[in-house]
Amino acid sequence: MARPKKAPEVEPATEEVAEVPATEPTPEVEAPEVEPATEGEDQSRYETFEATRPDGTVVEICRNLDTGEQTVTEKQ
């Protein structure tokens, strides 16, 4: 049975490596002011976007992010 070859000796690095942060700190940004919902106003979150059906009709989709309910209306 053959013995595995021994790895060559490697000298340790003699150069110093500068320590640099991996990322730049993100500047603080003020959050936009948001008006709270008033009584009786729906407090759900919605997303609305346009999509094109395979037949070429452009529709607007409104999706409630909290309940998953969505409505599709044709754009004119």
Side-chain angles (χ1 to χ4, degrees):
M1 183 167 179
R3 290 185 159 182
K5 292 183 179 179
K6 186 176 180 182
E9 295 283 327
V10 178
E11 293 183 29
T14 57
E15 295 179 22
E16 287 191 30
V17 178
E19 291 187 26
V20 180
T23 59
E24 295 290 322
T26 305
E28 291 192 27
V29 179
E30 288 185 34
E33 290 187 29
V34 177
E35 294 180 24
T38 59
E39 280 188 42
E41 191 175 318
D42 187 10
Q43 298 203 8
S44 298
R45 299 173 299 142
Y46 289 93
E47 69 176 348
T48 303
F49 57 94
E50 291 184 359
T52 305
R53 290 183 175 161
D55 66 356
T57 306
V58 178
V59 294
E60 182 177 75
I61 300 172
C62 182
R63 182 177 300 143
N64 183 324
L65 298 174
D66 297 321
T67 65
E69 177 186 4
Q70 72 180 23
T71 57
V72 179
T73 54
E74 289 188 15
K75 294 283 286 191
Q76 296 183 13

